[in-house]
Protein backbone atom coordinates (compact mmCIF):
# COMPACT_ATOMS: atom_id res chain seq x y z
CA UNK A 1 0.00 0.00 0.00
CA UNK A 2 1.29 3.44 -0.91
CA UNK A 3 0.76 6.10 1.73
CA UNK A 4 0.82 9.75 0.72
CA UNK A 5 2.40 12.05 3.29
CA UNK A 6 1.38 15.66 3.84
CA UNK A 7 3.68 17.59 6.13
CA UNK A 8 2.15 19.79 8.80
CA UNK A 9 2.78 23.53 8.70
CA UNK A 10 1.96 23.84 12.39
CA UNK A 11 3.64 21.20 14.56
CA UNK A 12 1.94 21.09 17.96
CA UNK A 13 3.62 21.69 21.25
CA UNK A 14 4.20 18.48 23.19
CA UNK A 15 2.40 18.13 26.53
CA UNK A 16 4.18 17.60 29.85
CA UNK A 17 5.03 13.88 30.01
CA UNK A 18 4.47 13.81 33.76
CA UNK A 19 0.85 14.87 33.46
CA UNK A 20 -0.55 13.17 30.35
CA UNK A 21 -3.68 11.41 31.62
CA UNK A 22 -5.54 9.22 29.13
CA UNK A 23 -6.74 10.27 25.69
CA UNK A 24 -6.55 14.01 26.30
CA UNK A 25 -3.72 15.01 23.96
CA UNK A 26 -3.45 14.25 20.26
CA UNK A 27 -0.51 14.34 17.91
CA UNK A 28 0.55 16.09 14.69
CA UNK A 29 -0.70 13.46 12.26
CA UNK A 30 -3.50 11.03 11.55
CA UNK A 31 -3.84 8.22 9.03
CA UNK A 32 -6.90 8.29 6.74
CA UNK A 33 -8.07 5.93 4.01
CA UNK A 34 -11.38 5.74 2.14
CA UNK A 35 -13.50 2.86 0.92
CA UNK A 36 -16.12 3.22 -1.77
CA UNK A 37 -18.22 0.51 -3.29
CA UNK A 38 -16.49 -0.68 -6.46
CA UNK A 39 -13.26 1.10 -5.56
CA UNK A 40 -12.25 -0.74 -2.38
CA UNK A 41 -9.62 1.00 -0.19
CA UNK A 42 -7.97 4.01 -1.77
CA UNK A 43 -6.19 7.31 -0.98
CA UNK A 44 -4.18 6.08 2.00
CA UNK A 45 -2.61 9.17 3.53
CA UNK A 46 -0.91 10.52 6.62
CA UNK A 47 -2.07 14.10 7.02
CA UNK A 48 -2.05 16.81 9.70
CA UNK A 49 -4.47 16.02 12.57
CA UNK A 50 -7.67 17.94 11.82
CA UNK A 51 -11.47 17.81 12.16
CA UNK A 52 -13.41 15.63 9.71
CA UNK A 53 -16.29 17.50 8.06
CA UNK A 54 -19.51 15.48 7.78
CA UNK A 55 -22.90 15.88 6.16
CA UNK A 56 -25.58 15.89 8.89
CA UNK A 57 -27.11 12.82 7.24
CA UNK A 58 -23.90 10.80 7.47
CA UNK A 59 -25.06 7.32 8.40
CA UNK A 60 -22.74 6.74 11.34
CA UNK A 61 -24.37 9.66 13.18
CA UNK A 62 -27.75 7.95 13.00
CA UNK A 63 -27.18 4.21 12.98
CA UNK A 64 -23.76 3.87 14.63
CA UNK A 65 -22.04 1.72 12.03
CA UNK A 66 -18.68 2.21 13.73
CA UNK A 67 -15.89 -0.01 15.06
CA UNK A 68 -12.60 0.76 16.75
CA UNK A 69 -9.41 -0.70 18.16
CA UNK A 70 -6.90 0.21 20.85
CA UNK A 71 -3.20 -0.58 21.14
CA UNK A 72 0.01 1.13 22.19
CA UNK A 73 3.52 1.99 21.03
CA UNK A 74 6.14 1.67 23.78
CA UNK A 75 9.55 3.31 24.13
CA UNK A 76 12.26 1.05 25.52
CA UNK A 77 15.02 2.17 27.86
CA UNK A 78 17.38 2.20 24.84
CA UNK A 79 15.03 4.66 23.13
CA UNK A 80 13.60 2.21 20.55
CA UNK A 81 9.89 2.22 19.74
CA UNK A 82 7.89 -1.00 19.57
CA UNK A 83 4.37 -2.33 19.12
CA UNK A 84 2.75 -5.25 20.97
CA UNK A 85 0.92 -7.85 18.83
CA UNK A 86 -0.67 -5.32 16.42
CA UNK A 87 -1.77 -8.18 14.14
CA UNK A 88 -4.17 -9.28 16.90
CA UNK A 89 -5.92 -5.90 16.73
CA UNK A 90 -6.03 -6.13 12.93
CA UNK A 91 -7.68 -9.57 13.09
CA UNK A 92 -10.13 -8.51 15.77
CA UNK A 93 -11.18 -5.47 13.76
CA UNK A 94 -11.82 -7.69 10.73
CA UNK A 95 -14.20 -9.75 12.90
CA UNK A 96 -15.89 -6.67 14.37
CA UNK A 97 -16.37 -5.25 10.88
CA UNK A 98 -17.79 -8.49 9.50
CA UNK A 99 -20.48 -8.44 12.21
CA UNK A 100 -21.39 -4.83 11.36
CA UNK A 101 -21.30 -5.47 7.58
CA UNK A 102 -18.33 -3.15 7.15
CA UNK A 103 -15.38 -3.84 4.83
CA UNK A 104 -12.22 -5.44 6.22
CA UNK A 105 -8.91 -3.62 6.38
CA UNK A 106 -6.53 -6.47 5.48
CA UNK A 107 -4.14 -7.40 8.29
CA UNK A 108 -0.96 -6.27 6.44
CA UNK A 109 -2.55 -2.94 5.55
CA UNK A 110 -3.66 -2.32 9.14
CA UNK A 111 -0.23 -3.12 10.57
CA UNK A 112 1.55 -1.07 7.90
CA UNK A 113 -0.68 1.95 8.57
CA UNK A 114 -0.15 1.76 12.34
CA UNK A 115 3.59 1.28 11.98
CA UNK A 116 4.00 4.12 9.46
CA UNK A 117 1.92 6.57 11.51
CA UNK A 118 4.02 5.82 14.60
CA UNK A 119 7.26 6.01 12.60
CA UNK A 120 6.62 9.48 11.14
CA UNK A 121 5.85 10.89 14.59
CA UNK A 122 8.24 8.76 16.60
CA UNK A 123 9.10 11.82 18.71
CA UNK A 124 5.53 11.70 20.09
CA UNK A 125 6.16 8.38 21.87
CA UNK A 126 6.87 9.52 25.44
CA UNK A 127 9.83 8.24 27.44
CA UNK A 128 8.82 8.77 31.07
CA UNK A 129 8.35 5.44 32.95
CA UNK A 130 5.12 3.62 32.04
CA UNK A 131 3.99 6.21 29.49
CA UNK A 132 3.13 5.18 25.93
CA UNK A 133 1.57 6.33 22.70
CA UNK A 134 -2.01 5.07 22.61
CA UNK A 135 -3.15 4.20 19.08
CA UNK A 136 -6.83 4.41 18.18
CA UNK A 137 -7.80 2.98 14.76
CA UNK A 138 -11.51 3.36 13.91
CA UNK A 139 -13.85 3.02 10.99
CA UNK A 140 -17.26 4.43 10.22
CA UNK A 141 -19.93 4.73 7.53
CA UNK A 142 -19.60 8.00 5.61
CA UNK A 143 -22.45 7.64 3.13
CA UNK A 144 -25.22 10.17 3.70
CA UNK A 145 -28.69 8.75 3.59
CA UNK A 146 -31.34 8.00 6.19
CA UNK A 147 -32.15 4.53 4.95
CA UNK A 148 -30.95 1.76 7.25
CA UNK A 149 -28.68 -0.38 5.10
CA UNK A 150 -25.06 -1.30 4.57
CA UNK A 151 -23.28 1.92 3.63
CA UNK A 152 -21.58 2.35 0.27
CA UNK A 153 -18.65 4.32 1.69
CA UNK A 154 -16.46 4.19 4.79
CA UNK A 155 -13.46 5.94 6.32
CA UNK A 156 -10.68 4.18 8.22
CA UNK A 157 -8.79 6.60 10.47
CA UNK A 158 -6.01 6.20 13.02
CA UNK A 159 -5.30 8.83 15.64
CA UNK A 160 -2.69 8.65 18.39
CA UNK A 161 -2.47 10.05 21.90
CA UNK A 162 0.46 10.15 24.32
CA UNK A 163 -0.82 8.65 27.57
CA UNK A 164 0.50 8.74 31.10
CA UNK A 165 1.32 5.98 33.52
CA UNK A 166 -1.95 4.23 34.40
CA UNK A 167 -0.83 3.92 38.01
CA UNK A 168 1.16 7.06 38.82
CA UNK A 169 0.81 6.33 42.54
CA UNK A 170 1.27 2.55 42.43
CA UNK A 171 -1.28 -0.10 41.56
CA UNK A 172 -4.54 0.56 43.39
CA UNK A 173 -7.23 -2.13 43.63
CA UNK A 174 -10.74 -1.11 42.57
CA UNK A 175 -14.23 -1.67 43.93
CA UNK A 176 -16.59 -3.21 41.39
CA UNK A 177 -20.37 -3.30 41.15
CA UNK A 178 -21.88 -6.52 39.84
CA UNK A 179 -24.64 -5.24 37.52
CA UNK A 180 -27.92 -7.14 37.83
CA UNK A 181 -30.25 -4.74 35.98
CA UNK A 182 -28.62 -3.67 32.70
CA UNK A 183 -26.96 -6.13 30.34
CA UNK A 184 -24.08 -5.61 27.92
CA UNK A 185 -24.38 -8.45 25.44
CA UNK A 186 -26.31 -11.54 24.42
CA UNK A 187 -25.52 -14.45 22.10
CA UNK A 188 -26.05 -13.32 18.53
CA UNK A 189 -25.43 -9.68 19.41
CA UNK A 190 -22.26 -7.59 19.14
CA UNK A 191 -20.57 -8.37 22.46
CA UNK A 192 -17.44 -9.78 20.80
CA UNK A 193 -16.93 -6.65 18.68
CA UNK A 194 -15.36 -3.33 19.58
CA UNK A 195 -18.23 -1.28 18.17
CA UNK A 196 -19.21 2.13 19.51
CA UNK A 197 -22.78 1.07 20.20
CA UNK A 198 -21.69 -1.39 22.89
CA UNK A 199 -20.15 1.44 24.86
CA UNK A 200 -23.06 3.85 24.42
CA UNK A 201 -25.36 1.31 26.05
CA UNK A 202 -22.90 0.53 28.84
CA UNK A 203 -22.67 4.08 30.18
CA UNK A 204 -25.87 3.75 32.26
CA UNK A 205 -24.24 0.89 34.20
CA UNK A 206 -21.08 2.91 34.67
CA UNK A 207 -23.02 5.92 36.00
CA UNK A 208 -24.89 3.68 38.43
CA UNK A 209 -21.66 2.07 39.62
CA UNK A 210 -20.05 5.45 40.24
CA UNK A 211 -23.09 6.61 42.23
CA UNK A 212 -22.56 3.59 44.46
CA UNK A 213 -18.89 4.40 45.00
CA UNK A 214 -17.60 1.77 42.57
CA UNK A 215 -15.14 2.32 39.72
CA UNK A 216 -16.51 -0.13 37.20
CA UNK A 217 -19.27 -2.59 36.39
CA UNK A 218 -18.94 -6.36 36.27
CA UNK A 219 -21.35 -7.58 33.61
CA UNK A 220 -23.28 -10.81 34.00
CA UNK A 221 -24.53 -12.81 31.02
CA UNK A 222 -27.54 -11.19 29.36
CA UNK A 223 -29.89 -14.19 29.51
CA UNK A 224 -29.63 -15.75 32.97
CA UNK A 225 -27.99 -12.74 34.69
CA UNK A 226 -25.97 -15.39 36.41
CA UNK A 227 -22.57 -15.97 34.79
CA UNK A 228 -19.68 -13.58 35.11
CA UNK A 229 -18.58 -12.07 31.77
CA UNK A 230 -16.36 -8.99 31.88
CA UNK A 231 -15.72 -5.56 33.34
CA UNK A 232 -16.44 -2.20 31.60
CA UNK A 233 -13.54 -2.18 29.15
CA UNK A 234 -11.61 -5.14 30.50
CA UNK A 235 -11.80 -8.89 30.63
CA UNK A 236 -11.68 -10.35 34.12
CA UNK A 237 -9.82 -13.26 35.71
CA UNK A 238 -10.16 -14.90 39.09
CA UNK A 239 -7.75 -17.06 41.04
CA UNK A 240 -9.81 -19.54 43.04
CA UNK A 241 -8.09 -22.28 45.04
CA UNK A 242 -4.97 -21.97 42.92
CA UNK A 243 -6.67 -22.12 39.50
CA UNK A 244 -7.52 -19.34 37.08
CA UNK A 245 -11.08 -18.72 35.84
CA UNK A 246 -12.19 -16.42 33.03
CA UNK A 247 -15.26 -16.29 30.78
CA UNK A 248 -15.03 -18.23 27.49
CA UNK A 249 -15.09 -16.47 24.10
CA UNK A 250 -18.50 -17.55 22.86
CA UNK A 251 -19.75 -14.33 21.29
CA UNK A 252 -20.66 -12.14 24.24
CA UNK A 253 -17.20 -11.35 25.59
CA UNK A 254 -14.59 -9.14 23.92
CA UNK A 255 -11.54 -11.22 22.94
CA UNK A 256 -8.88 -9.11 24.64
CA UNK A 257 -5.27 -9.19 23.46
CA UNK A 258 -4.22 -8.80 27.10
CA UNK A 259 -6.50 -11.69 28.09
CA UNK A 260 -4.94 -13.91 25.42
CA UNK A 261 -1.39 -12.90 26.36
CA UNK A 262 -1.93 -13.49 30.09
CA UNK A 263 -3.49 -16.91 29.43
CA UNK A 264 -0.34 -17.83 27.46
CA UNK A 265 1.91 -16.68 30.29
CA UNK A 266 -0.19 -18.35 33.01
CA UNK A 267 -0.19 -21.69 31.17
CA UNK A 268 3.54 -21.31 30.63
CA UNK A 269 3.93 -20.94 34.41
CA UNK A 270 1.94 -24.14 34.94
CA UNK A 271 -1.39 -22.65 36.01
CA UNK A 272 -4.62 -24.36 35.07
CA UNK A 273 -6.72 -21.77 33.19
CA UNK A 274 -10.44 -22.54 33.08
CA UNK A 275 -12.21 -20.64 30.29
CA UNK A 276 -15.60 -21.45 31.65
CA UNK A 277 -18.93 -20.06 32.86
CA UNK A 278 -18.50 -19.09 36.49
CA UNK A 279 -21.70 -18.15 38.30
CA UNK A 280 -21.82 -15.04 40.44
CA UNK A 281 -23.17 -17.14 43.34
CA UNK A 282 -20.15 -19.45 43.20
CA UNK A 283 -17.87 -16.44 42.96
CA UNK A 284 -19.38 -14.68 45.99
CA UNK A 285 -19.26 -17.97 47.88
CA UNK A 286 -15.55 -18.34 47.05
CA UNK A 287 -15.11 -14.77 48.28
CA UNK A 288 -16.75 -15.59 51.61
CA UNK A 289 -15.05 -18.93 52.21
CA UNK A 290 -11.60 -17.53 51.41
CA UNK A 291 -10.86 -19.56 48.27
CA UNK A 292 -11.13 -16.47 46.03
CA UNK A 293 -7.49 -15.47 46.27
CA UNK A 294 -7.16 -12.81 43.58
CA UNK A 295 -9.26 -11.05 40.95
CA UNK A 296 -8.09 -8.68 38.22
CA UNK A 297 -9.33 -6.97 35.10
CA UNK A 298 -7.16 -7.20 31.97
CA UNK A 299 -6.89 -4.70 29.11
CA UNK A 300 -4.45 -2.63 27.07
CA UNK A 301 -4.88 0.59 29.08
CA UNK A 302 -4.24 -0.80 32.58
CA UNK A 303 -2.62 -4.17 31.69
CA UNK A 304 -4.02 -5.60 34.93
CA UNK A 305 -6.32 -3.90 37.39
CA UNK A 306 -6.69 -5.71 40.72
CA UNK A 307 -10.21 -5.99 42.11
CA UNK A 308 -10.29 -5.27 45.84
CA UNK A 309 -14.02 -5.60 46.44
CA UNK A 310 -17.12 -6.95 44.70
CA UNK A 311 -20.57 -5.56 45.46
CA UNK A 312 -23.53 -7.73 44.40
CA UNK A 313 -27.08 -6.88 45.52
CA UNK A 314 -26.90 -6.74 49.33
CA UNK A 315 -23.74 -8.76 49.50
CA UNK A 316 -20.10 -7.74 49.25
CA UNK A 317 -16.76 -9.48 49.44
CA UNK A 318 -13.29 -8.07 49.99
CA UNK A 319 -10.52 -9.75 48.01
CA UNK A 320 -6.99 -10.18 49.38
CA UNK A 321 -7.62 -7.44 51.99
CA UNK A 322 -8.04 -4.89 49.18
CA UNK A 323 -4.41 -5.34 48.19
CA UNK A 324 -2.88 -6.43 44.88
CA UNK A 325 -2.17 -10.17 45.00
CA UNK A 326 1.24 -11.70 44.28
CA UNK A 327 0.15 -13.36 41.03
CA UNK A 328 -1.52 -10.17 39.77
CA UNK A 329 1.69 -8.25 40.52
CA UNK A 330 3.86 -10.88 38.80
CA UNK A 331 1.64 -10.83 35.69
CA UNK A 332 1.77 -7.04 35.61
CA UNK A 333 5.58 -7.01 35.93
CA UNK A 334 5.99 -9.68 33.27
CA UNK A 335 3.68 -8.26 30.62
CA UNK A 336 4.77 -4.64 31.09
CA UNK A 337 8.37 -5.93 31.11
CA UNK A 338 7.87 -7.43 27.66
CA UNK A 339 6.00 -4.39 26.34
CA UNK A 340 8.61 -1.85 27.45
CA UNK A 341 11.48 -4.15 26.46
CA UNK A 342 12.80 -4.84 29.97
CA UNK A 343 12.18 -8.59 29.68
CA UNK A 344 13.12 -10.85 26.79
CA UNK A 345 10.20 -11.35 24.38
CA UNK A 346 10.27 -15.12 24.27
CA UNK A 347 6.75 -15.33 22.83
CA UNK A 348 7.55 -13.26 19.71
CA UNK A 349 4.97 -10.55 20.52
CA UNK A 350 7.04 -7.43 19.84
CA UNK A 351 7.13 -5.63 16.49
CA UNK A 352 9.87 -2.99 16.35
CA UNK A 353 9.05 0.28 14.58
CA UNK A 354 12.21 1.18 12.76
C1 LIG B 1 -10.93 -3.46 24.59
C2 LIG B 1 -11.74 -4.25 25.56
C3 LIG B 1 -11.17 -5.29 26.34
C4 LIG B 1 -9.69 -5.55 26.41
O1 LIG B 1 -9.08 -5.83 25.21
P1 LIG B 1 -7.50 -5.63 25.06
O2 LIG B 1 -7.23 -6.07 23.67
O3 LIG B 1 -6.86 -6.51 26.07
O4 LIG B 1 -7.22 -4.20 25.30
C5 LIG B 1 -12.03 -6.06 27.11
N1 LIG B 1 -13.36 -5.82 27.14
C6 LIG B 1 -13.92 -4.83 26.44
C7 LIG B 1 -15.39 -4.63 26.53
C8 LIG B 1 -13.13 -4.02 25.64
O5 LIG B 1 -13.67 -3.00 24.97
Amino acid sequence: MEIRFEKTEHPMEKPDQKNLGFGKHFTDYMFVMDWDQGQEWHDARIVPYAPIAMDPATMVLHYAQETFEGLKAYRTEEGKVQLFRPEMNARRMIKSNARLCMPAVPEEMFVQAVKELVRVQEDWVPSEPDTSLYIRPFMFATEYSLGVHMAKSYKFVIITSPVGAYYPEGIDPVKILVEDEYVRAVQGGTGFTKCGGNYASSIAGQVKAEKMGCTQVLWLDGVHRKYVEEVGTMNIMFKIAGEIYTAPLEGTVLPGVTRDSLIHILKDWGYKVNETHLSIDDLMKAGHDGTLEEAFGTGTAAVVSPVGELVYKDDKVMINDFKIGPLTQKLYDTLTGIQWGRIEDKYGWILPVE
Side-chain angles (χ1 to χ4, degrees):
M1 168 177 64
E2 251 191 69
I3 305 174
R4 178 169 65 81
F5 179 67
E6 188 184 317
K7 200 164 166 30
T8 179
E9 299 290 324
H10 310 282
M12 290 186 241
E13 202 163 316
K14 300 215 172 40
D16 174 14
Q17 286 198 21
K18 291 203 161 67
N19 194 16
L20 289 169
F22 182 81
K24 291 202 288 240
H25 305 279
F26 298 94
T27 60
D28 285 326
Y29 293 99
M30 60 184 189
F31 175 91
V32 185
M33 176 163 80
D34 297 298
W35 188 95
D36 289 279
Q37 206 172 56
Q39 229 188 327
E40 307 302 309
W41 289 112
H42 60 90
D43 278 337
R45 55 205 186 268
I46 289 174
V47 292
Y49 187 94
I52 298 170
M54 276 195 270
D55 188 286
T58 300
M59 285 171 71
V60 66
L61 300 178
H62 303 270
Y63 309 124
Q65 216 187 0
E66 190 265 1
T67 57
F68 67 97
E69 271 301 325
L71 66 161
K72 285 173 170 177
Y74 307 84
R75 189 178 292 282
T76 69
E77 273 155 29
E78 296 78 50
K80 294 208 174 77
V81 173
Q82 54 191 32
L83 300 168
F84 181 76
R85 309 185 79 186
E87 71 288 350
M88 294 286 282
N89 299 91
R91 290 176 203 156
R92 184 167 67 191
M93 193 173 205
I94 290 171
K95 289 184 185 150
S96 295
N97 290 2
R99 175 64 181 81
L100 274 87
C101 295
M102 293 162 67
V105 175
E107 184 180 320
E108 320 74 65
M109 242 189 218
F110 179 103
V111 174
Q112 186 193 346
V114 167
K115 218 171 142 178
E116 193 58 19
L117 182 63
V118 173
R119 201 184 59 75
V120 301
Q121 42 183 5
E122 198 249 12
D123 57 337
W124 276 96
V125 183
S127 55
E128 280 289 313
D130 301 322
T131 61
S132 56
L133 185 71
Y134 184 78
I135 304 164
R136 168 53 60 86
F138 59 107
M139 195 194 295
F140 57 94
T142 52
E143 184 187 340
Y144 33 98
S145 154
L146 293 183
V148 178
H149 58 81
M150 192 179 138
K152 296 186 182 71
S153 60
Y154 296 89
K155 235 184 216 341
F156 174 62
V157 183
I158 310 174
I159 55 175
T160 52
S161 168
V163 297
Y166 197 85
Y167 298 111
E169 276 126 47
I171 306 186
D172 263 338
V174 291
K175 187 171 160 185
I176 296 234
L177 177 70
V178 181
E179 177 55 64
D180 60 348
E181 178 190 0
Y182 302 119
V183 300
R184 177 184 175 274
V186 290
Q187 288 284 343
T190 55
F192 67 94
T193 73
K194 255 181 142 63
C195 72
N198 285 349
Y199 301 83
S201 62
S202 76
I203 292 170
Q206 179 68 28
V207 168
K208 185 174 154 193
E210 284 169 12
K211 272 197 192 129
M212 295 178 64
C214 296
T215 323
Q216 295 244 13
V217 167
L218 173 60
W219 299 104
L220 299 177
D221 78 279
V223 176
H224 311 282
R225 317 268 174 107
K226 181 174 172 193
Y227 300 104
V228 170
E229 297 217 314
E230 63 184 315
V231 179
T233 55
M234 287 188 277
N235 297 109
I236 189 160
M237 297 189 184
F238 303 95
K239 180 164 173 265
I240 302 173
E243 294 185 11
I244 310 300
Y245 292 81
T246 192
L249 302 178
E250 292 174 350
T252 54
V253 165
L254 202 284
V257 178
T258 318
R259 176 189 181 278
D260 182 84
S261 307
L262 293 179
I263 289 175
H264 262 89
I265 293 171
L266 283 161
K267 286 185 175 166
D268 203 17
W269 290 347
Y271 281 94
K272 181 152 190 260
V273 181
N274 305 282
E275 294 181 59
T276 183
H277 300 282
L278 173 67
S279 78
I280 183 64
D281 294 333
D282 287 347
L283 180 63
M284 296 303 280
K285 195 162 143 278
H288 288 300
D289 70 19
T291 50
L292 173 56
E293 293 154 351
E294 299 184 33
F296 51 94
T298 77
T300 297
V303 184
V304 296
S305 174
V307 178
E309 189 174 353
L310 286 172
V311 180
Y312 176 54
K313 299 188 196 277
D314 302 328
D315 195 12
K316 52 174 96 163
V317 290
M318 184 99 89
I319 303 164
N320 197 45
D321 293 325
F322 215 86
K323 290 199 292 283
I324 181 167
L327 181 64
T328 311
Q329 182 73 56
K330 193 172 159 201
L331 286 169
Y332 179 82
D333 294 341
T334 304
L335 197 56
T336 56
I338 294 171
Q339 290 167 333
W340 272 274
R342 295 186 291 263
I343 293 181
E344 187 206 338
D345 168 34
K346 68 170 184 169
Y347 305 104
W349 288 339
I350 293 300
L351 181 70
V353 175
E354 36 307 294

